[in-house]
Amino acid sequence: MDTLTCFRVVENDLFKQDWRSRKKKQIFQYIVLKWSLVLLIGLLTGLVGFFNNLAVENIAGLKLLHTSRLMLKERYFKAFFVYGGCNLVLAASAAAICAYVAPAAAGSGIPEVKAYLNGVDAYSILAPSTLFVKIFGSILGVSAGFVLGKEGPMVHTGACIANLLGQGGSRKYHLTCNWLRYFKNDRDRRDLITCGSAAGVAAAFRAPVGGVLFALEEAASWWRSALLWRTFFTTAVVAVVLRGLIEFCRSGKCGLFGQGGLIMFDLSSTIATYSTPDLIAIIVLGIIGGIFGGLFNFLLDKILRVYSIINERGAPFKILLTITISIVTSMCSYGLPWLAACTPCPADAVEQCPTISRSGNYKNFQCPQGYYNDLASLFFNTNDDAIRNLFSNGTANEFRMSSLFIFFTAIYCLGLVTYGVAVPSGLFIPVILAGATYGRIVGTLLGSISDLDPGLFALLGAASFLGGTMRMTVSVCVILLELTNDLPMLPLVMLVLLISKTIADNFNKGVYDQIVVMKGFPYMEAHAEPYMRHLVAGDVVSGPLITFSGVEKVGNIVHALRITGHNGFPVVDEPPITETPELVGLVTRSHLLVLLNSKNFMKGQVKTSGSFVLRRFGAFDFAKPGSGKGLKIEDLDFTDEEMDMYVDLHPITNTSPYTVVETMSLAKAAILFRELGLRHLLVVPKTPDVRARFLSQTWSTYA
């Protein structure tokens, strides 16, 4: 199938001739280009990440400022219509461009990137149109006040940027660069997309090391040491770009972009000394995070299945669903703070109280001068500012317990119903918000026996919920530490992540793994299933087997390509070409189509030296196509005379395919298949008189 990829180079005669003919200058050019591309990926992803935050902070900031001014004049109904109307227009716009321009841009995109890096190249998930909608749809969706984040979509955005650069542009949109033809293969493109996904995390959280670890732990299923250096370099470039742009904006030249955006919290001033009661509280947090995380994934799975039925009815229903959730979200964000009582401003408040600007810890809302509404400080804000308020230290008495319970319940439920609508949406922010809220609740309840600041409990609560939903440990731990600049909290964050992941693993899989399964991607797990230990590779080989001779009749090839969806075919030489049956290698569908399209056939079944093919074609003629469609068998037409002619497949046959004997354990073969990044694995018989058998990406379905 054309939706699967291989991360190994096809070593046929053309490839070998190409590498032998390359001079030192060309090899040096290839290396320089590769590093230049990862530099460009880092620069562009950093710029897009900053642009996203700049746009969100200004659009959402203007909306909140205008609404606050109306509330100060006690024009509450008009304020709600302005607030809800802005949210509605922004949400409908995001849903419209997503539904009509690039439906693949909906959701976070992390499951799609994860599936691609596992070998599944689903149609249009990395197309230029998807990149466009991902950027602007995410801006509109986050500005609309949805309980979602732009961090997940940034991973998809970075991958799309890498894909666009790696394939030399887009033929469909007449944006091509021939000098990037070196990278038109699965392995190089996969490496660049891995760098792009890491850059996306670095741009979202300003966490370069966390980005590298995210790509290693969650995204990529195949890794090598050279890739580690490139991803590290890419994320370092992102960090430098963001720091430079933020310094520029501190002069006030970026509108309302100031404390908000690029969520960064500094908890380093808090003294992180902890005792036995603190450890008990952290264990409790880990257990709560595991239970809530498992429940969240279970409910999200059910909701997404219902949404899929609605979304399948067409674009108007997608937009209608998004508008409905937008109205519900606006009613909760504006209505629930009215349930909270006004609180006198603390005398020792570091920030201005009540807050006059659009962001801050002490929102005035409907309260008189000298008072603030603690629930409005969480609801009537951007998600980044709400997280900053929860993580702030020295604010033990800022939030009432009732307000925290209301906010947690609302965010937990809104996070569930929002993900799945037709807008680019991430799960990191809703999960961090909910986790930080119940973390602060636990910290407030245990304030009499614990020395930890409630802001630190909020950090640990966010870590526990992330571990319970995402099931990531190392990358989440480093991302949170880079966010908060609080290295002494490392042991506690590690402990709470391990506990929450262990608890949640007893209920279900991680949220992204569930979505991969729901979307139908043939994802291969890193470990073999228990039943595989009782089977051998020969037990799962599908048939009937279709093989080609080294010199094959054109009609046979055309017929095989038309009746099957196979991407690869074993090539077996038999008498009279050889004395005994001999496995030559594997030939791919795309290479066969290029060779057939040339229509340079022979009248007899005679093995040639392959010199004509080597003269007629270059390695780049067989390069992987970009986002546009490559050759299809339906596009080719042959006469009866041509169908009776022959073609020599030896020059385009991969003569070094990976093979296993049919008696190998299926568990061992599956692990070998995944860890080597293969698409095809030949299963050969132990007796020489039986033709080679063939095992594909998913063992039977996609053979």
Side-chain angles (χ1 to χ4, degrees), residues 35 143 374:
W35 283 99
S143 302
D374 60 341

Side-chain angles (χ1 to χ4, degrees), residues 383-598:
N383 293 331
D384 291 356
D385 287 329
I387 295 174
R388 185 173 289 103
N389 292 343
L390 289 169
F391 277 26
S392 58
N393 55 59
T395 55
N397 300 317
E398 179 182 344
F399 301 102
R400 299 172 184 265
M401 289 294 294
S402 58
S403 298
L404 291 174
F405 274 110
I406 293 172
F407 185 72
F408 169 73
T409 304
I411 290 299
Y412 194 92
C413 296
L414 288 175
L416 284 169
V417 299
T418 303
Y419 191 85
V421 299
V423 295
S425 54
L427 280 173
F428 272 97
I429 293 303
V431 169
I432 291 176
L433 268 175
T437 305
Y438 73 67
R440 199 168 183 103
I441 291 174
V442 172
T444 304
L445 291 174
L446 300 179
S448 59
I449 63 172
S450 174
D451 296 328
L452 294 181
D453 188 89
L456 294 180
F457 271 104
L459 168 65
L460 294 171
S464 70
F465 203 19
L466 284 169
T469 54
M470 311 292 182
R471 312 296 161 83
M472 294 181 285
T473 52
V474 180
S475 55
V476 167
C477 181
V478 173
I479 287 171
L480 289 175
L481 292 178
E482 288 185 283
L483 276 176
T484 58
N485 192 27
D486 195 10
L487 189 59
M489 291 295 291
L490 175 61
L492 301 184
V493 175
M494 292 173 64
L495 179 61
V496 78
L497 278 169
L498 289 172
I499 294 173
S500 63
K501 182 184 185 304
T502 303
I503 296 294
D505 280 340
N506 293 311
F507 299 109
N508 44 42
K509 293 184 178 181
V511 63
Y512 295 130
D513 293 323
Q514 289 187 172
I515 296 173
V516 165
V517 173
M518 188 182 304
K519 289 180 177 289
F521 296 134
Y523 185 83
M524 290 194 68
E525 298 291 345
H527 58 276
E529 297 295 335
Y531 72 87
M532 292 183 178
R533 296 184 176 89
H534 306 291
L535 298 173
V536 295
D539 292 334
V540 297
V541 175
S542 60
L545 175 67
I546 297 178
T547 65
F548 294 140
S549 298
V551 181
E552 186 60 77
K553 192 175 182 179
V554 174
N556 293 341
I557 299 175
V558 172
H559 178 70
L561 295 179
R562 285 176 177 170
I563 67 171
T564 68
H566 299 181
N567 175 265
F569 301 86
V571 177
V572 181
D573 274 344
E574 295 183 347
I577 296 179
T578 57
E579 295 182 0
T580 58
E582 175 186 327
L583 175 62
V584 179
L586 189 77
V587 63
T588 63
R589 172 182 286 264
S590 60
H591 290 183
L592 285 171
L593 290 172
V594 173
L595 194 59
L596 291 175
N597 189 45
S598 69

Side-chain angles (χ1 to χ4, degrees), residues 365-393:
F365 206 64
Q366 90 287 10
C367 297
Q369 187 65 28
Y371 290 80
Y372 72 95
N373 187 315
D374 60 341
L375 195 52
S377 299
L378 299 175
F379 268 119
F380 208 64
N381 238 326
T382 62
N383 293 331
D384 291 356
D385 287 329
I387 295 174
R388 185 173 289 103
N389 292 343
L390 289 169
F391 277 26
S392 58
N393 55 59

Side-chain angles (χ1 to χ4, degrees), residues 220-493:
S221 59
W222 182 69
W223 197 266
R224 54 199 179 97
S225 58
L227 188 57
L228 180 65
W229 281 101
R230 293 192 185 97
T231 52
F232 187 73
F233 174 72
T234 309
T235 56
V237 171
V238 172
V240 171
V241 170
L242 290 178
R243 181 169 291 276
L245 291 172
I246 290 172
E247 289 296 327
F248 171 77
C249 284
R250 285 183 177 174
S251 59
K253 299 179 180 179
C254 299
L256 296 174
F257 182 84
Q259 293 298 319
L262 290 170
I263 52 176
M264 188 73 179
F265 324 102
D266 191 352
L267 300 180
S268 58
S269 60
T270 305
I271 301 176
T273 57
Y274 38 88
S275 57
T276 302
D278 297 326
L279 294 177
I280 295 174
I282 289 163
I283 293 173
V284 171
L285 268 181
I287 295 172
I288 294 174
I291 295 173
F292 279 152
L295 179 62
F296 186 90
N297 291 0
F298 172 79
L299 295 175
L300 185 65
D301 181 76
K302 302 299 181 183
I303 292 172
L304 289 180
R305 293 185 187 278
V306 174
Y307 281 4
S308 65
I309 298 174
I310 299 174
N311 292 333
E312 285 174 359
R313 303 185 67 178
F317 286 89
K318 293 181 180 180
I319 299 173
L320 183 61
L321 175 62
T322 305
I323 289 175
T324 303
I325 301 301
S326 174
I327 294 173
V328 172
T329 303
S330 297
M331 293 176 66
C332 290
S333 300
Y334 188 87
L336 289 178
W338 291 88
L339 300 177
C342 294
T343 305
C345 289
D348 57 347
V350 178
E351 297 183 9
Q352 184 180 15
C353 181
T355 300
I356 303 300
S357 63
R358 60 149 192 93
S359 63
N361 273 34
Y362 306 101
K363 280 284 186 179
N364 179 257
F365 206 64
Q366 90 287 10
C367 297
Q369 187 65 28
Y371 290 80
Y372 72 95
N373 187 315
D374 60 341
L375 195 52
S377 299
L378 299 175
F379 268 119
F380 208 64
N381 238 326
T382 62
N383 293 331
D384 291 356
D385 287 329
I387 295 174
R388 185 173 289 103
N389 292 343
L390 289 169
F391 277 26
S392 58
N393 55 59
T395 55
N397 300 317
E398 179 182 344
F399 301 102
R400 299 172 184 265
M401 289 294 294
S402 58
S403 298
L404 291 174
F405 274 110
I406 293 172
F407 185 72
F408 169 73
T409 304
I411 290 299
Y412 194 92
C413 296
L414 288 175
L416 284 169
V417 299
T418 303
Y419 191 85
V421 299
V423 295
S425 54
L427 280 173
F428 272 97
I429 293 303
V431 169
I432 291 176
L433 268 175
T437 305
Y438 73 67
R440 199 168 183 103
I441 291 174
V442 172
T444 304
L445 291 174
L446 300 179
S448 59
I449 63 172
S450 174
D451 296 328
L452 294 181
D453 188 89
L456 294 180
F457 271 104
L459 168 65
L460 294 171
S464 70
F465 203 19
L466 284 169
T469 54
M470 311 292 182
R471 312 296 161 83
M472 294 181 285
T473 52
V474 180
S475 55
V476 167
C477 181
V478 173
I479 287 171
L480 289 175
L481 292 178
E482 288 185 283
L483 276 176
T484 58
N485 192 27
D486 195 10
L487 189 59
M489 291 295 291
L490 175 61
L492 301 184
V493 175

